[in-house]
Amino acid sequence: MGITDQLVKFRTAEVPEMAAAMMRLSLFDWVVCGIAGADVADFAGFRRAQMIEEGPAHVFGGDATGVAMAALLNGTLSHACDLDDRHFAHAGRPSVVIWPAVMALAQTLDMSLDKAIDAAAIGAEASIVIGLWLGDAHRDAGFDATATAGAFGATLAAARLLGLDPKKSRHALGICAGTAAGLTAQAGTMGQALNAGRAARSGVEAALWAQTGITSVSDGLQSFGDSHFSEAAEVKPPRKEWQIDSLCHQFHGCNHGLHGVIEALRAVDLPPEKIDVVKIRAHPHWVAICNKDKPKNGKDVTLSFGHVAAMVLLGYETEGRDRFSDEIARNKEIVALRGKVELVADAGLSQAQTQITLMLTSGEVRRLRHDLESPITLEARSAKLRGKATALLGPTQADALWTAVIGNDLDPISGLFQRATVAGSESG
């Protein structure tokens, strides 16, 4: 059975409890990221320019529009701060593509939250499976798996919500094959966020067009792979253990590549004068990105291994974007300790792994490590995500959102899109 056949069949799969629970947490986190993204001034003009029609689907920052436009805007805004979840195995960001498509369409169809969660789980899982099927060669050629694999996942999620039959679901995937696009060269620009928004819109439109009777190539996903450097790895949609069970959420307000350093150093309790050298080993991908050795402002701090390591060792909090301020960049105590940090690129580590060697003035050597893919209980994950939400939105709004997400009604969630104000959010 080919990849398209497998996914068409998978669209009606029963979602296990663990996967549904993970997607509920990801919904909570996605809304937090979207509210924060709506406060990013750089995207204000883009948002205003797209609000040209009224509709049933709410948009972060207020107002409502048509389903496809809401998917575009919410996908873009929720990725604007780069604080959303990722799946390391396929190097993609599932929630900022899948949830914008699902929420926009589910609101339009007046669906329950439970049905929306099941559709999102199907879409997110499909995007990961497709990302693994496309493989490293696809990404090495410069394609952004968030945008490409994500668009197909959004299509399958939308097909489930619309109740498309196998034939129309196949056509929807074929239509998406002509629109799924995005380049990793956009990383660090506003185009990176737009990749996610365009993928969400592509998924919604592909499913809606197939519903109206538009036909397409019968095996568009295979054709897409053939023309986009797919390794065509042997993958199958899951039955019991789902890939989304190992989603990695971001719990801190800096680049995800620095999170392993934060987690590893959190347990260290040493005065700075007792530390001689802090040697950090990380994957070359993160060393190339988070290389601001002398950050000049708060945004630079979110991309600095040395500065963030010094912050953590000195007890500074890292959950919200406001923790990474221009003042923090100039803090003399942090700057002094930062000078003791050495950074080494190690291709033998995965992107989720960090190793740290602490050399003390006493001659003692301590070795630390953290793997962002290490299992974490739902309870611990919930607590960390609620802490992040509180740092970004404030306790009142964070608690209101949590109450809404653990219910079964979409309206209270989408209602919070337009009421929230953000503390200390900034583009990154």
Side-chain angles (χ1 to χ4, degrees):
M1 185 182 294
I3 185 71
T4 303
D5 296 317
Q6 292 182 55
L7 291 173
V8 168
K9 183 178 180 181
F10 179 62
R11 83 194 189 287
T12 59
E14 183 177 349
V15 178
E17 184 177 343
M18 178 65 179
M22 182 66 81
M23 289 314 298
R24 194 177 290 269
L25 289 180
S26 287
L27 170 61
F28 175 77
D29 186 56
W30 171 71
V31 175
V32 171
C33 292
I35 293 171
D39 199 54
V40 176
D42 290 349
F43 287 89
F46 169 75
R47 185 187 180 283
R48 286 194 300 269
Q50 309 311 310
M51 295 297 295
I52 57 177
E53 61 175 324
E54 294 184 358
H58 287 87
V59 175
F60 289 121
D63 302 319
T65 186
V67 58
M69 188 57 69
L72 169 68
L73 286 169
N74 287 337
T76 302
L77 294 173
S78 60
H79 199 31
C81 289
D82 202 14
L83 294 176
D84 45 286
D85 61 32
R86 76 171 64 228
H87 195 278
F88 282 103
H90 93 109
R93 316 288 281 268
S95 290
V96 289
V97 176
I98 305 305
W99 269 118
V102 168
M103 277 295 286
L105 195 53
Q107 288 179 69
T108 303
L109 298 173
D110 196 23
M111 291 237 172
S112 70
L113 179 53
D114 282 348
K115 289 185 177 180
I117 286 172
D118 283 351
I122 292 293
E125 187 70 19
S127 74
I128 296 169
V129 169
I130 294 168
L132 294 172
W133 175 74
L134 290 168
D136 290 339
H138 176 73
R139 296 185 290 274
D140 291 344
F143 296 108
D144 180 2
T146 298
T148 56
F152 289 106
T155 300
L156 212 64
R160 178 172 178 126
L161 285 174
L162 292 169
L164 299 189
D165 62 25
K167 186 176 181 180
K168 288 187 175 181
S169 297
R170 180 181 292 274
H171 286 312
L173 290 171
I175 294 168
C176 181
T179 59
L183 300 178
T184 56
Q186 298 281 17
T189 73
M190 293 170 70
Q192 176 183 338
L194 192 59
N195 277 354
R198 291 176 62 242
R201 181 178 66 181
S202 291
V204 168
E205 290 180 332
L208 287 173
W209 291 342
Q211 185 184 46
T212 68
I214 296 292
T215 61
S216 183
V217 59
S218 64
D219 200 354
L221 183 52
Q222 183 63 55
S223 297
F224 181 88
D226 291 343
S227 58
H228 286 73
F229 297 90
S230 170
E231 293 178 345
E234 291 187 11
V235 294
K236 292 182 179 180
R239 293 184 178 179
K240 294 182 179 179
E241 295 185 7
W242 286 42
Q243 295 277 354
I244 56 174
D245 290 350
S246 56
L247 274 177
C248 290
H249 292 95
Q250 299 199 56
F251 305 124
H252 309 283
C254 55
N255 187 279
H256 209 170
L258 304 178
H259 290 206
V261 170
I262 295 173
E263 298 294 344
L265 291 177
R266 274 276 174 91
V268 176
D269 184 16
L270 287 169
E273 62 270 16
K274 289 190 175 182
I275 299 174
D276 189 23
V277 176
V278 182
K279 182 174 287 188
I280 300 173
R281 307 184 77 89
H283 190 275
H285 173 78
W286 297 125
V287 173
I289 294 173
C290 303
N291 58 3
K292 302 289 186 180
D293 57 344
K294 296 179 180 179
K296 298 179 180 179
N297 51 47
K299 185 175 181 179
D300 283 354
V301 172
T302 68
L303 297 169
S304 173
F305 269 105
H307 209 88
V308 168
M311 284 176 62
V312 177
L313 286 169
L314 290 168
Y316 286 86
E317 296 294 332
T318 56
E319 280 77 8
R321 272 295 163 101
D322 60 329
R323 313 293 190 187
F324 301 88
S325 62
D326 293 352
E327 183 181 359
I328 281 290
R330 297 187 295 265
N331 183 290
K332 293 182 179 180
E333 186 182 28
I334 295 174
V335 170
L337 185 54
R338 184 186 72 199
K340 299 181 179 181
V341 177
E342 298 178 3
L343 183 59
V344 178
D346 189 341
L349 298 175
S350 75
Q351 289 190 23
Q353 295 173 329
T354 304
Q355 293 181 354
I356 301 175
T357 302
L358 285 178
M359 302 176 186
L360 308 186
T361 55
S362 64
E364 180 187 354
V365 176
R366 297 187 186 182
R367 303 186 189 280
L368 311 168
R369 61 181 297 140
H370 188 78
D371 190 328
L372 295 174
E373 293 185 295
S374 297
I376 177 173
T377 66
L378 286 174
E379 292 76 15
R381 190 184 298 268
S382 299
K384 284 178 173 288
L385 288 177
R386 293 187 72 177
K388 170 185 173 180
T390 299
L392 284 169
L393 308 182
T396 301
Q397 292 172 351
D399 289 346
L401 178 59
W402 180 259
T403 300
V405 167
I406 62 177
N408 194 32
D409 188 352
L410 288 173
D411 289 342
I413 299 172
S414 58
L416 289 169
F417 285 14
Q418 55 190 317
R419 288 202 303 272
T421 55
V422 181
S425 166
E426 121 185 15
S427 177

